[in-house]
Amino acid sequence: MAHHDDEEFAEYFAAKRDSVRRTAYLLCGDWHRADDLAQTAFVSLHRKWRKIRDRRAVDAYLRKTLARAAIDESRRPWRREEHTGEVPQPRVADGGDALADRVSARADLLAGLARVPSKQRAVLVLRYFEGLDVASVARALGCSEGNVKSQTARGLAKLRTALGEEVGTHG
């Protein structure tokens, strides 16, 4: 890799690493696995860096690699987790503290996302966190737009159910 390419990749990496890591966390729900997924995506991007002619396509390539890595990782047998009947709830301060409420809502959302199957979770994260349209998500995941729409509907239903259960336990 030429020196200029190395510098260009290093600048891109520095600019994107935090947002890619956050997206990876939303995809898998674990910071250590998120680091692994982000690393996998950046290594893959680094291998292809010199061949990418349209630098505007880099974000899409990275997003696609990240989402696919998260889905593939969730299918590995050693990653299958046993779910318990109860999810530990964060302590909410008395008096309706706004920060505590936000933390609680975020914890509920993350716990709910963890209960959504990996492909549906990837669709939800790409659509609603990354702000991609249906066509872009379909390209990122290598599936049809109809599949994205059905996975979105199923994922939202699963998330609503999970959030209803999560929120219902606070009362």
Side-chain angles (χ1 to χ4, degrees), residues 12 45 49 51-65 139:
Y12 181 82
L45 176 62
W49 189 256
K51 297 176 186 173
I52 298 174
R53 293 181 188 175
D54 183 5
R55 293 294 190 218
R56 294 173 298 178
V58 174
D59 288 346
Y61 176 83
L62 188 61
R63 206 172 8 259
K64 178 178 185 176
T65 304
R139 280 192 302 277

Side-chain angles (χ1 to χ4, degrees), residues 1-169:
M1 191 176 269
H3 180 69
H4 175 70
D5 287 336
D6 283 338
E7 287 178 5
E8 193 176 23
F9 180 82
E11 289 173 13
Y12 181 82
F13 173 77
K16 295 291 182 173
R17 75 175 155 221
D18 291 337
S19 66
V20 169
R21 184 173 179 254
R22 281 190 301 270
T23 300
Y25 177 75
L26 289 173
L27 289 169
C28 71
D30 177 88
W31 283 112
H32 297 290
R33 286 177 52 206
D35 287 336
D36 292 345
L37 292 172
Q39 179 178 345
T40 298
F42 278 116
V43 166
S44 178
L45 176 62
H46 188 263
R47 287 183 186 138
K48 305 240 183 221
W49 189 256
R50 287 182 42 197
K51 297 176 186 173
I52 298 174
R53 293 181 188 175
D54 183 5
R55 293 294 190 218
R56 294 173 298 178
V58 174
D59 288 346
Y61 176 83
L62 188 61
R63 206 172 8 259
K64 178 178 185 176
T65 304
L66 183 65
R68 287 187 175 176
I71 291 167
D72 290 346
E73 184 72 12
S74 72
R75 292 178 178 157
R76 295 200 169 117
W78 59 84
R79 288 291 189 199
R80 293 191 187 122
E81 300 174 1
E82 292 293 321
H83 294 283
T84 62
E86 293 183 35
V87 177
Q89 296 299 315
R91 196 170 152 241
V92 178
D94 292 335
D97 183 2
L99 177 60
D101 290 344
R102 284 189 13 227
V103 169
S104 178
R106 181 177 178 189
D108 288 341
L109 178 60
L110 293 173
L113 275 174
R115 298 174 79 180
V116 175
S118 61
K119 187 161 185 183
Q120 293 171 9
R121 183 173 45 238
V123 169
L124 294 178
V125 168
L126 293 175
R127 288 276 288 130
Y128 299 107
F129 177 74
E130 290 289 325
L132 299 182
D133 60 17
V134 172
S136 298
V137 174
R139 280 192 302 277
L141 297 178
C143 63
S144 70
E145 291 183 25
N147 188 279
V148 170
K149 291 176 185 178
S150 67
Q151 293 292 324
T152 300
R154 289 182 187 128
L156 285 173
K158 183 79 171 175
L159 183 58
R160 281 185 189 109
T161 299
L163 288 176
E165 292 171 6
E166 295 298 321
V167 174
T169 61

